[in-house]
Amino acid sequence: MPRDRERLAAREALARARRVVFFTGAGVSAESGLATFRDAGGLWEGVRPERVATPEAFAEDPAFVWRFYLARRAAAAATSPNPAHRAMAEYARSDHREVAVVTQNVDGLHQVAGSANVLELHGSLWRTRCEACGAVAEDRATSFSEVPPRCRCGGMLRPDIVWFGEALPPTVFQAASQAARRCEVCVVVGTSAVVYPAAGIPYEAARAGARILVVNAEETEHAREADWFLEGKAGEILPDFL
Ligand code: APR
């Protein structure tokens, strides 16, 4: 289908839709200056994920892991949402729609942009979890007097982020799956679609009858199977589109 007819069809579907899921990845925050993971110059070029994003890495060298996440906190604290984040938040506020933002991102920029119903599948940079008592707390520090930081119980605090080999938070994952099964349109934005089980969410939506629109800077597995694929930058495509 010629590109402009594809755009028109996707735009009409989103204008009509009452229930929508935005499934997002690091590409959404790229135009806010935050590195993605697998693009040129991405985070995983600078450090091997096994050294900073596994429970084994944390057990071996918690200070090294914390320095990686403190640097990511500092970068996220120094930036702000871009037009893509804002367009999704505004779309959700318009027309009494039921919108869920199901994100793999941990930077919190969707919430800063005003998105209300954000489901963080991979946790958040802005929370800690105690390895001993399990307490989860909001924490916006970009440096600590002691690294690794300690919980009131004396236990070691870790970032409340889902690392490779760990399960997704069950309640969040269930809510995301339910939103996917209920939506009429699932908009996949800025993700390489290679990390499961998160990347399965758009397929769950498609199996339940939803139309799939992918907005991404490069073609991905999701894009190859989508109803509509718009190649380009989310911050340039979404504002006009939504
Ligand atoms: N607009 C749209 N898409 C973009 C943009 C942009 N401005 N910039 C980059 N992209 C696309 C890239 O082409 C790529 O397909 O975003 C995607 C980013 O992919 P990844 O770096 O693999 O990030 P993501 O898909 O979010 O990674 C998934 O992997 O490392 C783990 O837990 C981490 O949540 C993360 C998960």
Side-chain angles (χ1 to χ4, degrees), residues 31-239:
E31 291 156 85
S32 295
L34 297 182
T36 64
F37 294 93
R38 295 171 185 81
D39 289 315
L43 290 169
W44 295 154
E45 251 181 34
V47 61
R48 292 197 338 274
E50 308 83 77
R51 290 213 56 208
V52 290
T54 62
E56 296 76 20
F58 190 71
E60 192 183 315
D61 190 345
F64 181 81
V65 171
W66 261 115
R67 280 195 289 278
F68 173 75
Y69 286 99
L70 284 173
R72 291 188 63 195
R73 281 188 175 188
T79 189
S80 51
N82 64 59
H85 296 106
R86 288 198 291 276
M88 289 181 252
E90 277 155 30
Y91 176 86
R93 277 196 294 273
S94 67
D95 251 353
H96 313 296
R97 290 192 173 95
E98 187 184 307
V99 172
V101 176
V102 176
T103 189
Q104 300 165 92
N105 298 348
V106 296
D107 56 35
L109 291 180
H110 281 299
Q111 294 91 325
V112 177
S115 284
N117 184 16
V118 180
L119 300 169
E120 296 175 311
L121 294 175
H122 292 163
S124 171
L125 276 174
W126 306 113
R127 289 192 303 268
T128 58
R129 190 164 79 231
C130 176
E131 295 250 285
C133 72
V136 172
E138 174 99 5
D139 182 290
R140 307 202 72 91
T142 52
S143 65
F144 293 119
S145 52
E146 183 194 2
V147 177
R150 294 276 161 183
C151 175
R152 262 184 294 229
C153 76
M156 194 188 298
L157 293 176
R158 59 166 278 176
D160 186 30
I161 284 186
V162 178
W163 286 327
F164 290 100
E166 295 186 320
L168 303 191
T171 48
V172 179
F173 191 38
Q174 275 153 24
S177 298
Q178 194 193 8
R181 289 194 299 272
R182 282 177 56 73
C183 74
E184 296 150 284
V185 180
C186 177
V187 187
V188 180
V189 191
T191 180
S192 58
V194 295
V195 174
Y196 283 78
I201 292 285
Y203 293 114
E204 197 162 354
R207 280 194 300 276
R211 311 301 300 273
I212 309 297
L213 164 64
V214 172
V215 177
N216 209 65
E218 63 181 352
E219 191 178 60
T220 62
E221 193 53 42
H222 282 153
R224 279 184 281 279
E225 299 181 34
D227 296 283
W228 309 292
F229 170 42
L230 301 177
E231 187 160 3
K233 293 187 170 183
E236 292 170 7
I237 293 174
L238 286 181

Side-chain angles (χ1 to χ4, degrees), residues 1-10 227-230 241:
M1 185 195 282
R3 283 266 173 257
D4 48 3
R5 270 203 10 232
E6 219 173 304
R7 283 179 83 89
L8 191 57
D227 296 283
W228 309 292
F229 170 42
L230 301 177
F241 210 75

